[in-house]
Amino acid sequence: MNIKKPQEKKSFSDSIAPLSSKGWPKWAVYLFSLLGFIYLLNPTAGILELLPDNLPWIGNIDEGAAALAMWYGFLEIRKTRKKD
């Protein structure tokens, strides 16, 4: 008789591996996350941007990359706290 055990619910972030498990040093992940956060704060009021936002289709790629860097930083923090 096979009795199935209830499976734990996995969140979306559980299926994504942190960058430190792929060989990135943790300090670099945190640094890129911090730089992404600062970039999204937009301290230069749009004067200094990697890609101007008025370019069709590719204007928001730099903001997407900054958000992705922040996501991996949060994921790194979450995975580190989960281990402890």
Side-chain angles (χ1 to χ4, degrees):
M1 178 184 284
N2 291 343
I3 299 174
K4 290 185 178 180
K5 294 181 182 179
Q7 294 181 356
E8 294 181 24
K9 287 186 177 181
K10 290 187 175 183
S11 66
F12 176 71
S13 63
D14 287 338
S15 62
I16 300 173
L19 292 177
S20 64
S21 68
K22 296 179 181 180
W24 285 62
K26 285 187 179 186
W27 64 267
V29 177
Y30 293 138
L31 178 67
F32 283 123
S33 179
L34 180 65
L35 290 175
F37 179 71
I38 292 170
Y39 188 80
L40 288 178
L41 282 178
N42 200 8
T44 62
I47 295 171
L48 177 67
E49 288 197 43
L50 297 177
L51 293 171
D53 287 341
N54 58 0
L55 291 175
W57 297 98
I58 61 168
N60 293 333
I61 289 177
D62 53 347
E63 284 90 357
L68 191 62
M70 281 181 49
W71 170 261
Y72 275 111
F74 290 137
L75 185 66
E76 193 73 43
I77 292 170
R78 184 169 185 243
K79 295 289 183 175
T80 302
R81 288 188 180 174
K82 205 174 202 180
K83 284 182 184 178
D84 297 336

